[in-house]
Amino acid sequence: MAEFNDWIAGLPKAELHLHIDGSLEPGRLLQLAGKHGVDLPYADEAAVTAACEFDNLDEFLAMYYLGASVLRDEEDFYNLMMDYLTKCRTQNIRHCEVMIEPQTYADNGVPIDICMRGFKAAVNDARREWGQSCLMILSIMRHAPEEEGIKTLKAAEPYRDDFIALGLASSEVPFPPAQFKRLYELAASQEYRLGAHAGEEGPPGYISDALDLLHCERIDHGIRCAEDPALVERLAREQIPLTVCPLSNVRLRCFNNMSDHNILQLLDRNLCVTVNSDDPAYFGGYLNENFQALHAHLGLDKVQAARLAANSFTASYLGDAEKARFFEELEAY
Ligand code: ADE
Ligand code: ZN
């Protein structure tokens, strides 16, 4: 076990499904609550950790949005991003794609310029200091009306070059992809790459609709595809990447236990599945801990782990030359 975990720690890999607000650790959360005088129902870090028990996605999201309400100024956003990028460095996450959710901050009276100044400064510093590769994804809240998402896309226009892609997150049911067609058409016209959460709690039809109505090239989670054999075949044939988040899926009760998780079955069927942490500060682990849990409970071996790491670069929004550089690193490892 220890030998495998050490090997995973050194494995070059990419993380493609990470909500930056989900990397807000209890210590930083309480520090910022104190700084800005935000009243939280947690006496100490242990109380925050103890509160991370969820029966479903919406229960988690209530805590997640409360947590994000402590983020107020440029320094907060800088530190949040730098905390995560530093974790990438220690976990050998050679490339990451980070979801940014400006609607959450706007709801707390914080304009997009404040968060983007902080996030961009951290990304630039990490790139300069240790060559961290990082892309940002503009993630839209599906619990809000499409019109709000369109306003956010418009507010993000000055930052068009800072976002590689558009995403769709938050409460999944009953907010089907069909409700966001205009938003995705607009984003496509601005040449955003397109992804969306689908098939986490929502039915397999949400995955098909994300592909056919929103023209997504990548699906976040997608685990409920297994309920529709024709969809599984399609995902394999078209090599549509799924950014799967094992610890998240168990914490949010998509699976009762890690031993019930279907990621290795999907890998066996030749789907382009990847491993990701989603909201590591809330779900008990970063990327390496997700790989370790798959090893401990599903017997993930090195060959499978290397395939998952290769998929993570294949499924990234990087260009071919950058992907080739990471494949070489992986090959050498
Ligand atoms: N936002 C943060 N984590 C999420 C998840 N697992 N699903 C949907 N929206 C999210
Ligand atoms: Zn997510």
Side-chain angles (χ1 to χ4, degrees), residues 17 19 99 197 221 278:
H17 184 159
H19 303 262
M99 279 178 259
H197 283 56
H221 294 295
D278 205 7

Side-chain angles (χ1 to χ4, degrees), residues 118-187:
F119 287 148
K120 284 178 61 167
V123 169
N124 288 336
D125 283 355
R127 181 168 292 129
R128 196 179 48 248
E129 283 174 32
W130 68 88
Q132 183 64 48
S133 172
C134 175
L135 294 171
M136 290 190 276
I137 298 170
L138 178 62
S139 175
I140 298 297
M141 302 291 90
R142 70 201 303 159
H143 66 252
E146 181 184 45
E147 205 48 53
E148 296 295 316
I150 291 172
K151 274 192 205 154
T152 305
L153 184 67
K154 211 159 176 44
E157 269 172 19
Y159 303 98
R160 176 63 198 87
D161 293 344
D162 299 303
F163 290 114
I164 187 75
L166 188 83
L168 188 64
S170 192
S171 187
E172 187 178 5
V173 181
F175 306 107
Q179 292 180 358
F180 297 92
K181 275 186 68 168
R182 270 197 323 127
L183 169 70
Y184 273 71
E185 275 163 20
L186 277 172

